């Protein structure tokens, strides 16, 4: 909750809270008939004593604004505004309808804690810490930017200059040949994935994804009515032959992979497997979606060319993003693929949001072309590698023998197996009590007993402490 | 097409074009088996002689890169990369699948012409002309902006400071009481509409919209599986009693209206009808979506308070946008409604695109709070009123007796009835030949014989010429 009580004012807390709720009711933000939080929950949210809330609800009930129903909770009164009780909108029914599915409760719980927790240790959020964003360089790109005079709706595929820069960027860094007309600028990799599920697949279609995978955490696929099947990930990524087997059983329509420094396992799909995957894909006529937000974050000399770089038949839709290399708040990503696909997705996107704002596109374009960009990348890799090293030594020191992991050669995540039986949900709750957040493996479709630690979001100095707190939580379940 | 032939170089045109297509094929942008444009179409797109393209296709066929199938067209060869012909992805099947429907062909045609036409007259695009965007003021807001240091994923509802500014803005300008926690920042009004259809409604649900209406131009509603029913618009907007009648027949689940300077008719929903609508909505428990992108663009002294301003029960979801008052390329809009609805939509939006970029939000926040904003609004209103006056005199002068319209009191659009039988599609094509673009009424669900002229996108000096060209086109059908 954004609103906070004022502890230094004259007005008693219960009165401040009662007035706040009264205002919400008057503004229609808590409509008639809507359920209010329980006393305990509200006390927790506002960080006040439970008795204060008891007092608040008594006041509001006395003034006729709320009603308490035995055993079912506290509701905004439906009689308050006049003599005749109206029907009012039953928002609950609307909110629970709709084809688009909500985020899984466990993920929501962790995200909300990550926003709320003060002085907590966040090994859960899959993004960079504030000191790793190139704020200085972006500020200077910002200040130098000349605003174009046509600020009308953009080209459906995104700002042309940025598309050209992206075409150069993927050539330079990933050996991908393309031209601006085959690039769609998206609101991160996320929007690219969303557009694909909405526009190229139909309810009932079977798709193959890595197991475990980031995609399991997205109700996106279920919302689109897709049936998802897992391809087991080993130390070298998925095994392409498994695609054949899956296809025989389920007629797979599309394959989603995150080959480099995979989320959550950190593994790299071996080069020969990449080649093999493309062959199988071409033979069966099943397109590949190659999602690569982490591939520039490497700690090794070896380069891993994307599948797209040796795809000459347009079987691969390639997704890139600046979220993990510049800033997730920039919301710039891209999709590269056959012209007909790009046109179709661009058209649909127009209807969903009328395209991206021109401003982050200008900024991304400026920054990608500046000399600051390669310097920043180098700095970022070094910092992330240091943190990876730190978290590995912390784990070895503090949890020796109790967990197992392999060293990620790039990216943001470390994937751990816990050598004891644990209940994921309980472990998360113990963690929250101990102010340590992480992602349980079940979120990614793994069995109980795995966790994903993101070492990128925490400052170096906090990593040791974070792992001790995790160890403590683990010892309690 | 973005690529253009180089007419001043040494290389013959046919060779340039052949190499361009070869490159597209090599990059997988035109995948094996995909259909290439006809000779005539490609000649038109590249603005070259048809014989040049005949030559190009002969060359490509000789080299085995393309195949011509009698009567069905020119395709990229499926044998080109090896000995064994692979299956390859049948992208056509994918692109034509997917639950999300494409834009209507006629609208697409007009939009493409608007992008391509040089020295054309655009009375079709529903947005401001480049001289009306406050580029100077935005530039200074841009330059002064200090970038925050946390550039991670934003709050699901959008940047807090902007939500607070929006809450103040709607109080100041529209007498709407709200707080930042009930505001969702969206990518324009468009995304707000999209989220509502995806998250609060289910396939089969019946919704009521104005007839004619902007919403008829959006396959959005059909994509969500909704059944849409029209409420006839007269000089004072829709008649609230019609809602009762519709509801009895179809059990309406939601009502979408654009009450002020409606797109396309320019009408204003009368104040007593607003009141009545809210009463009916509360009685039947049907929520109202009030979409108000134009309400600040008034040419009259009278103010029209939104329905939301007298809604104390949370029956109204209010949508605002900066597209028509600042710049559509900014992509900032908002939705205000009950907390539970805002939370649900914010959660879904996270999955679709992970939220808006922080940069346009910072910029919008800065500009809305600056002294430049009210000055800009005043200037904009004056300019738009001048253009409205100009287009009305041009129509009266040039098309006297042949068309009818009522004076819009604000907004961007003038709605005309043509006093003769016309075929919308033919009129559009005649217009395109004559370099004049407008929106035929059928796009908005009106019968043949209506057109919408947007007077905001053309400079003053071009309006007279535009209307003569329209008159010419009209005389030819
Ligand atoms: C594999 C993968 N794909 C896509 C995304 C979405 O990122 P964004 O939309 O910020 O680019 C993420 C984010 O964690 C990811 O891990
Ligand atoms: C009535 C109405 N609603 C919504 C929109 C979408 O505008 P935006 O998403 O740019 O705010 C428009 C655009 O013309 C409109 O006329």
């Amino acid at each position: 909750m954004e609103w906070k009580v004022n502890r230094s004012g004259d007005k008693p807390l219960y009165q401040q809270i009662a007035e706040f709720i009264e205002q919400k009711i008057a503004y229609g933000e808590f409509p008639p008939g809507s359920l209010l939080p329980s006393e305990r929950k509200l006390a927790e949210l506002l960080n006040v004593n439970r008795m204060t809330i008891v007092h608040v609800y008594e006041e509001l009930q006395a003034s006729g604004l709320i009603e308490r129903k035995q055993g079912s909770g506290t509701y905004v009164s439906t009689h308050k505004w006049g003599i005749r009780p109206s029907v009012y909108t039953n928002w609950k029914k609307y909110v629970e309808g709709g084809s688009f599915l909500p985020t899984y409760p466990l993920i929501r719980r962790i995200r909300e804690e990550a926003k709320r927790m003060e002085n907590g240790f966040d090994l859960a959020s899959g993004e960079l810490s504030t000191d790793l964003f190139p704020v200085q360089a972006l500020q200077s790109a910002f200040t130098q930017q000349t605003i174009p005079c046509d600020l009308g709706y953009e080209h459906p595929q995104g700002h042309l200059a940025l598309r050209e820069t992206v075409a150069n960027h993927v050539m330079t860094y990933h050996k991908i040949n393309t031209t601006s007309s085959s690039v769609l600028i998206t609101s991160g990799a996320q929007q690219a994935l969303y557009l694909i599920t909405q526009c190229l697949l139909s309810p009932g279609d079977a798709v193959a994804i890595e197991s475990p995978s980031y995609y399991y955490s997205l109700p996106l696929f279920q919302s689109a009515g897709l049936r998802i099947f897992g391809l087991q990930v080993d130390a070298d990524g998925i095994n392409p032959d498994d695609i054949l087997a899956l296809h025989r059983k389920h007629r797979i329509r599309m394959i989603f992979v995150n080959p480099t420094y995979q989320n959550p396992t950190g593994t790299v799909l071996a080069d020969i497997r990449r080649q093999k995957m493309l062959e199988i894909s071409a033979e069966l006529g099943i397109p590949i979606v190659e999602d690569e937000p982490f591939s520039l974050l490497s700690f090794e000399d070896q380069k891993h060319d994307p599948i797209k770089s040796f795809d000459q038949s347009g079987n691969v839709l390639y997704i890139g993003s600046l979220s993990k290399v510049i800033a997730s708040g920039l919301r710039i990503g891209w999709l590269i693929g056959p012209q007909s696909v790009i046109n179709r997705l661009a058209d649909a996107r127009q209807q969903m949001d009328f395209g991206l704002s021109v401003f982050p596109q200008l900024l991304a374009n400026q920054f990608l072309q500046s000399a600051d960009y390669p310097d920043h990348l180098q700095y970022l890799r070094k910092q992330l590698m240091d943190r990876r090293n730190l978290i590995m030594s912390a784990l070895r020191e503090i949890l020796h023998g109790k967990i197992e992991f392999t060293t990620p050669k790039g990216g943001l995540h470390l994937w751990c197996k816990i050598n004891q039986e644990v209940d994921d949900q309980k472990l998360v709750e113990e963690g929250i009590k101990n102010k340590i957040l992480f992602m349980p493996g079940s979120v990614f479709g793994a069995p109980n007993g795995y966790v994903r630690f993101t070492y990128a979001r925490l400052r170096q100095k906090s990593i040791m402490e974070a792992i001790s707190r995790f160890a403590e939580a683990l010892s309690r379940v």
Side-chain angles (χ1 to χ4, degrees), chain A:
Chain A
M1 205 168 273
E2 278 152 14
W3 183 81
K4 284 192 173 64
V5 293
N6 173 6
R7 288 177 199 279
S8 55
D10 284 342
K11 211 179 268 180
L13 294 188
Y14 87 91
Q15 200 178 332
Q16 290 179 42
I17 299 170
E19 283 172 9
F20 166 72
I21 294 177
E22 218 175 303
Q23 187 198 39
K24 291 276 192 191
I25 294 174
Y27 294 178
E29 299 180 16
F30 294 156
S34 62
L35 182 64
L36 292 171
S38 70
E39 286 167 355
R40 197 165 48 84
K41 176 85 186 188
L42 188 58
E44 200 184 297
L45 283 170
L46 296 174
N47 204 9
V48 298
N49 193 296
R50 166 117 181 240
M51 280 316 292
T52 308
I53 304 296
V54 171
H55 198 160
V56 167
Y57 279 178
E58 276 170 5
E59 284 285 312
L60 292 170
Q61 191 174 14
S63 64
L65 278 173
I66 65 171
E67 284 165 15
R68 324 201 68 175
K69 295 185 193 157
Q70 202 60 27
S72 96
T74 306
Y75 294 84
V76 177
S77 169
T78 49
H79 295 256
K80 69 182 173 76
W81 303 116
I83 307 129
R84 186 168 48 128
S86 290
V87 178
Y88 299 111
T89 299
N90 182 349
W91 282 115
K92 190 158 178 288
K93 239 171 57 194
Y94 284 87
V95 164
E96 289 171 359
S99 45
F100 205 85
L101 297 174
T103 303
Y104 299 120
L106 191 57
I107 298 183
R108 198 151 21 151
R109 169 108 177 91
I110 294 168
R111 284 212 190 127
E112 277 167 12
E113 285 298 334
K115 286 263 173 231
R116 181 162 61 196
M117 207 179 257
E118 276 161 34
N119 313 314
F121 294 80
D122 182 0
L123 294 171
S125 303
E127 57 178 332
L128 304 177
S129 59
T130 56
D131 59 319
L132 295 180
F133 299 125
V135 177
Q136 286 295 325
L138 282 172
Q139 180 78 58
S140 98
F142 213 79
T143 317
Q144 281 161 36
Q145 186 61 56
T146 312
I147 293 184
C149 56
D150 193 351
L151 293 172
Y153 292 112
E154 268 284 345
H155 188 287
Q157 287 173 232
H159 193 62
L160 176 59
L162 177 59
R163 281 186 284 133
E164 281 165 354
T165 300
V166 166
N168 287 332
H169 180 272
V170 296
M171 182 66 228
T172 310
Y173 288 93
H174 309 296
K175 301 190 191 151
I176 294 174
N177 273 313
T178 193
T179 54
S180 62
S181 53
S182 296
V183 176
L184 175 69
I185 305 295
T186 56
S187 174
Q190 192 76 20
Q191 190 177 38
L193 293 167
Y194 180 61
L195 289 169
I196 291 169
T197 60
Q198 289 296 305
C199 303
L200 304 178
L201 295 167
S202 307
D205 280 354
V207 301
I209 67 178
E210 295 152 329
S211 175
S213 160
Y214 169 69
Y215 309 127
Y216 278 108
S217 71
L218 304 175
L220 208 65
F221 291 87
Q222 284 87 344
S223 294
L226 307 177
R227 293 176 299 139
I228 53 183
F229 297 98
L231 299 162
Q232 216 55 45
V233 170
D234 66 25
D236 288 325
I238 63 151
N239 189 335
D241 290 329
D242 292 347
I243 297 172
L244 287 167
L246 263 192
H247 186 62
R248 239 172 271 131
K249 272 204 232 158
H250 307 290
R251 302 207 85 272
I252 298 299
R253 288 266 295 164
M254 204 174 272
I255 310 163
F256 290 79
V257 281
N258 168 208
T260 318
Y261 317 128
Q262 197 238 10
N263 182 1
T265 64
T267 50
V268 174
L269 182 64
D271 286 349
I272 41 165
R273 290 186 173 188
R274 292 177 187 227
Q275 198 78 52
K276 188 79 195 291
M277 246 191 98
L278 186 61
E279 280 166 31
I280 290 178
S281 142
E283 241 165 69
L284 302 177
I286 310 174
I288 296 170
V289 175
E290 183 176 36
D291 178 17
E292 285 289 61
F294 312 110
S295 59
L296 289 177
L297 302 177
S298 107
F299 315 145
E300 49 182 351
D301 291 330
Q302 208 190 329
K303 287 258 187 299
H304 309 283
D305 294 333
I307 307 175
K308 182 73 185 168
S309 68
F310 38 89
D311 165 39
Q312 293 185 308
S313 312
N315 274 321
V316 179
L317 304 181
Y318 177 85
I319 298 175
S321 170
L322 298 180
S323 284
K324 318 296 179 183
V325 292
I326 298 183
S328 34
L330 187 59
R331 305 310 305 130
I332 294 289
W334 48 80
L335 187 141
I336 297 171
Q339 206 96 70
S340 57
V341 173
I342 297 295
N343 291 343
R344 169 77 163 103
L345 303 192
D347 177 75
R349 205 258 305 268
Q350 288 287 92
Q351 284 192 56
M352 295 172 178
D353 60 22
F354 252 127
L356 293 194
S357 176
V358 64
F359 296 103
Q361 299 188 76
L362 292 170
L363 204 55
N365 186 40
Q366 179 119 347
F367 186 57
L368 285 178
Q369 290 181 296
S370 75
D372 289 333
Y373 179 58
D375 291 350
H376 164 69
L377 273 183
Q378 206 175 348
Y379 171 78
L380 183 59
R381 283 194 197 106
K382 169 79 175 62
Q383 286 288 318
L384 289 176
M385 187 163 72
D386 289 350
R387 289 181 200 190
R388 177 206 61 177
N389 293 343
L390 262 172
I391 200 169
M392 291 200 306
S393 21
L395 286 166
R396 284 195 192 108
E397 202 169 298
I398 299 171
L399 283 160
H400 185 77
K402 296 190 178 138
I403 53 144
E404 276 170 41
F405 56 84
T406 50
T407 305
K409 305 237 171 60
L412 316 179
H413 308 298
L414 184 88
W415 181 245
C416 283
K417 184 174 178 335
I418 300 171
N419 290 332
Q420 76 184 61
E421 287 230 352
V422 280
D423 175 328
D424 266 19
Q425 190 113 18
K426 279 205 193 118
L427 187 56
V428 167
E429 292 301 332
E430 277 304 327
I432 289 172
K433 277 189 211 152
N434 230 6
K435 292 200 173 233
I436 164 83
L437 298 174
F438 55 88
M439 282 290 179
S442 54
V443 153
F444 308 104
N448 264 342
Y450 286 86
V451 289
R452 186 195 78 178
F453 293 127
T454 301
Y455 45 81
R457 185 71 179 161
L458 261 194
R459 306 291 179 102
Q460 293 204 17
K461 62 179 186 324
S462 308
I463 287 180
M464 191 59 108
E465 169 76 10
I467 297 300
S468 334
R469 280 167 183 259
F470 174 77
E472 231 177 277
L474 183 61
S475 74
R476 286 213 224 99
V477 293

